[in-house]
Amino acid sequence: MLLEPANAGADPALALVRDIYPADLLVPVSHARPRQPGEKPFVTLTYAQSLDGKIAGKGGKQLLLSGQESMTLTHRLRQLHDSILVGVGTVINDDPQLTARIPHLLPLKDQPLPIVLDSSLRMPLTSKLLSNARKGISKAPLVVCKRLRVGEKGLESQAISEAGGKVYIANDFGRGIDLRKFIHDPAATPFLGRSLMVEGGASVISSFLATPGLVDLVIVTVAPVLVGDEGVSVTKEGVDLPRLEHVRTQVFGKDAVFVCKPVYP
């Protein structure tokens, strides 16, 4: 799983990962303690932001904030985690691949499972997540939607499956997807694995942070860039966020990376 110790000294990103994560996450799955159904995975929430706290431009436009050095850390984190989660808005706006490339594409067995929160099944069938799965570059993405009513979204669900994805139906009819129920659902345990990496977008990040007990580690890359008032922030009015307990600060090239643990009242 997570690479030879001999490489750590020459790779600051690998060294940081080894320092801040529990030992049981750094060993192959075959050597790890089996997870019980419904057991919460170790959740890392990570994103890059500007100096003025923006993670995207006007209307959610993608911003290239991370430098090469801090992007290497992102790929080390992807390599470490069993699954990686984004919202469907990120798929629509950014069309990410969510693969681990250090610097080249890692074998399929070492790639995280992509998970997309998509309550109303808006997943573009032309997305790289689906095309990469068909090519065998990445694992088939798990598209998490709300429970389907009779006749509702059936064609979209079938189309996603035929395009290379898998549809997972959450157990609620609410406005969104209940994150706590999903993370602790015994049926989701095999997909989530030991560790889940949450990359965005803003609503997903805010929702995870606002739900006590879900996030174990917060890793934020701050780039020396100013975006302005029209940019998108992870903070929302009326949303209670936790206090962050500082664990580590490290400079990667032009960027500063902050590692924190969320603390709830």
Side-chain angles (χ1 to χ4, degrees):
M1 179 53 150
L2 194 68
L3 307 194
E4 319 78 58
N7 290 345
D11 187 339
L14 177 57
L16 176 62
V17 169
R18 288 187 174 278
D19 285 347
I20 63 177
Y21 279 95
D24 64 313
L25 295 183
L26 302 175
V27 299
V29 174
S30 59
H31 292 70
R33 175 185 64 81
R35 293 187 66 239
Q36 300 303 310
E39 182 181 350
K40 188 186 82 67
F42 188 100
V43 176
T44 300
L45 190 150
T46 182
Y47 58 93
Q49 68 170 43
S50 63
L51 278 176
D52 52 348
K54 309 300 181 183
I55 68 168
K58 183 179 180 181
K61 181 180 179 181
Q62 183 181 23
L63 296 176
L64 299 178
L65 294 170
S66 299
Q68 181 177 347
E69 295 87 348
S70 60
M71 185 56 71
T72 297
L73 174 61
T74 296
H75 286 283
R76 283 295 184 199
L77 292 172
R78 288 178 179 178
Q79 179 189 20
L80 170 69
H81 290 78
D82 296 326
S83 52
I84 181 170
L85 182 147
V86 296
V88 69
T90 296
V91 178
I92 293 171
N93 291 327
D94 301 349
D95 196 16
Q97 301 192 70
L98 304 182
T99 49
R101 305 182 293 277
I102 309 173
H104 305 294
L105 189 71
L106 294 180
L108 182 62
K109 66 180 180 62
D110 295 325
Q111 294 292 343
L113 172 73
I115 298 175
V116 180
L117 294 184
D118 183 9
S119 60
S120 55
L121 287 181
R122 296 186 294 136
M123 177 86 166
L125 299 180
T126 56
S127 68
K128 292 176 182 176
L129 291 178
L130 290 171
S131 62
N132 282 351
R134 294 194 301 271
K135 296 173 185 175
I137 292 174
S138 64
K139 295 173 182 175
L142 185 73
V143 182
V144 182
C145 66
K146 293 187 298 185
R147 184 185 299 173
L148 305 178
R149 299 183 189 276
V150 176
E152 182 187 7
K153 300 293 182 182
L155 293 178
E156 289 90 336
S157 176
Q158 180 179 346
I160 289 172
S161 298
E162 292 175 349
K166 297 179 180 179
V167 176
Y168 178 97
I169 302 173
N171 295 321
D172 62 82
F173 289 111
R175 291 181 58 190
I177 294 167
D178 188 316
L179 293 177
R180 190 183 298 280
K181 285 184 179 179
F182 171 60
I183 294 296
H184 289 281
D185 187 344
T189 301
F191 301 113
L192 296 171
R194 295 173 297 171
S195 53
L196 169 67
M197 179 175 171
V198 178
E199 276 205 23
S203 295
V204 170
I205 291 170
S206 179
S207 296
F208 265 88
L209 280 176
T211 307
L214 285 191
V215 178
D216 297 286
L217 208 59
V218 177
I219 302 178
V220 180
T221 297
V222 180
V225 176
L226 295 174
V227 174
D229 292 340
E230 292 186 334
V232 177
S233 171
V234 300
T235 58
K236 293 184 177 182
E237 187 175 351
V239 176
D240 293 328
L241 299 176
R243 176 176 65 85
L244 296 179
E245 180 181 284
H246 178 260
V247 173
R248 181 93 163 256
T249 302
Q250 188 163 328
V251 175
F252 286 86
K254 65 180 180 62
D255 305 326
V257 173
F258 296 88
V259 182
C260 307
K261 289 182 179 180
V263 179
Y264 297 86

